[in-house]
């Protein structure tokens, strides 16, 4: 088992979870700056946005998780702040990030959909990296599996997924790999396939949510409504539907605008 504490300096402990999440934010910010510069947006806006987005994402990710797992925290309210032990819900973090980002974009009169396209490859890459924090904390895993099944995986994953005398599905790994695949698609789209602003953003909503929906069905620690309905699956379905509708609407608008432009030049 990997020690979740990376560094101990007297009473101060630095957890791997925090290090991994910090790296995810830094790498994502660097990539977003690169994309902003490529499309003519001042990259300093990215750093300024991150100052607001990171705390908003962390607070909302934690609040989202705590709300649905209130029974774990109601008798020890200080534990609500123990974020280094895990318990950050991705969808909550997305809500916080979108709210903070929207506020910043409107304040500085930046193109909203274009900024979404700039940020989404960074977001999905950060999510792929962040899942390894779950690995260290032995959370976000699936149901029990046999030792024979786990032989397919490297030894360090087998050992970390051996919890309480039982092997478990490394669903953190499935989602990390899916997110890396989505990242590759979004990068290709941003650089080669993009036809209109918002295309990368809407593709993120659809592709990430498809993977999350199926992987969530394998997990044992899902946030639930009424003890039966998995919250992440419900949110994923809503995001898929919204992404498809928005993609069709803006693709049609883009095609109409292109057609009008071509007819006006004749």
């Amino acid at each position: 088992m990997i020690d979740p504490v990376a560094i101990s300096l007297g009473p101060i402990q630095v957890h791997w979870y925090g290090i991994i999440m910090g790296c995810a934010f830094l790498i994502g910010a660097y990539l977003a700056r690169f994309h902003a510069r490529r499309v003519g947006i001042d990259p300093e806006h990215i750093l300024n946005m991150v100052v607001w987005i990171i705390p908003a994402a962390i607070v909302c990710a934690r609040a989202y998780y705590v709300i649905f797992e209130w029974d774990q925290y109601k008798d020890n309210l200080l534990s609500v702040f123990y974020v280094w032990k895990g318990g950050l819900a991705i969808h909550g973090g997305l809500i916080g990030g979108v709210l903070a980002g929207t506020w910043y974009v409107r304040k500085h009169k930046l193109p909203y959909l274009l900024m979404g396209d700039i940020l989404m490859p960074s977001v999905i890459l950060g999510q792929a990296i962040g899942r390894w924090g779950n690995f260290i904390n032995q959370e976000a895993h699936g149901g029990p599996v046999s030792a024979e099944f786990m032989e397919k995986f490297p030894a360090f994953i087998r050992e970390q997924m051996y919890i309480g005398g039982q092997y478990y599905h490394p669903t953190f790994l499935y989602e990390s790999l899916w997110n890396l695949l989505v990242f590759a698609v979004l990068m290709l789209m941003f650089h080669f396939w993009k036809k209109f602003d918002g295309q990368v953003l809407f593709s993120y909503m659809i592709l990430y949510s498809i993977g999350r929906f199926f992987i969530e069905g394998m997990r044992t620690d899902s946030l639930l409504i009424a003890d039966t309905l998995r919250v992440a699956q419900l949110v994923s379905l809503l995001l898929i539907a919204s992404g498809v509708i928005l993609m069709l609407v803006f693709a049609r608008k883009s095609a109409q605008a292109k057609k009008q432009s071509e007819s006006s030049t004749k």
Side-chain angles (χ1 to χ4, degrees):
M1 175 180 172
I2 300 174
D3 188 344
V5 178
I7 303 170
S8 293
L9 299 173
I12 301 174
Q13 294 184 331
V14 180
H15 289 246
W16 281 113
Y17 188 88
I19 293 174
I20 292 171
M21 296 303 292
C23 288
F25 280 120
L26 287 174
I27 294 171
Y30 178 83
L31 179 63
R33 280 173 57 84
F34 168 76
H35 283 149
R37 187 179 293 109
R38 183 180 176 88
V39 298
I41 299 291
D42 185 352
E44 290 305 307
H45 278 303
I46 300 300
L47 292 181
N48 294 336
M49 286 182 69
V50 166
V51 170
W52 295 96
I53 287 176
I54 289 179
I58 292 174
V59 169
C60 288
R62 185 59 169 174
Y64 188 101
Y65 184 86
V66 169
I67 288 170
F68 286 103
E69 294 289 329
W70 179 242
D71 287 343
Q72 292 186 27
Y73 300 97
K74 64 182 181 181
D75 297 324
N76 181 12
L77 295 181
L78 282 178
S79 64
V80 169
F81 302 99
Y82 298 167
V83 294
W84 55 88
K85 293 185 177 181
L88 297 177
I90 293 294
H91 286 133
L94 291 174
I95 291 171
V98 168
L99 291 175
T102 298
W103 171 81
Y104 184 91
V105 165
R106 288 185 174 179
K107 179 180 178 181
H108 294 274
K109 296 181 173 58
L110 298 171
Y112 186 82
L113 293 178
L114 178 57
M115 291 301 294
D117 288 346
I118 289 170
L119 292 171
M120 285 308 106
S122 296
V123 170
I124 196 67
L125 178 59
Q127 289 176 254
I129 296 170
R131 278 303 176 202
W132 289 88
N134 299 133
F135 167 68
I136 298 294
N137 283 354
Q138 295 183 308
E139 60 186 5
H141 58 71
V145 294
S146 67
E148 290 75 18
F149 178 85
M150 290 303 295
E151 286 297 323
K152 304 172 184 177
F153 300 92
F156 76 99
I157 290 179
R158 292 200 304 271
E159 293 170 3
Q160 195 69 0
M161 288 294 99
Y162 190 68
I163 306 168
Q166 174 67 59
Y167 287 108
Y168 289 90
H169 261 300
T171 47
F172 82 91
L173 177 63
Y174 306 157
E175 187 167 340
S176 182
L177 292 175
W178 174 258
N179 289 347
L180 285 175
L181 176 61
V182 175
F183 168 70
V185 172
L186 297 188
M187 287 290 286
L188 288 170
M189 184 176 293
F190 188 92
H191 291 277
F192 304 108
W193 304 337
K194 182 178 170 181
K195 303 298 183 183
F196 57 91
D197 287 348
Q199 186 176 356
V200 178
L201 169 61
F202 306 145
S203 296
Y204 164 85
M205 293 169 64
I206 297 167
L207 295 175
Y208 165 66
S209 299
I210 289 173
R212 181 61 187 272
F213 178 85
F214 288 104
I215 294 169
E216 189 68 23
M218 304 171 66
R219 287 176 54 172
T220 59
D221 60 346
S222 298
L223 302 178
L224 303 174
I225 297 176
D227 297 327
T228 56
L229 184 61
R230 295 175 187 255
V231 177
Q233 287 188 316
L234 177 60
V235 174
S236 294
L237 290 175
L238 292 173
L239 287 174
I240 292 169
S242 299
V244 169
I245 292 170
L246 289 169
M247 183 76 80
L248 293 174
V249 169
F250 281 89
R252 184 177 180 181
K253 286 184 177 180
S254 175
Q256 290 175 341
K258 182 179 179 180
K259 187 175 180 179
Q260 290 175 355
S261 176
E262 290 174 348
S263 62
S264 64
T265 57
K266 291 181 181 180

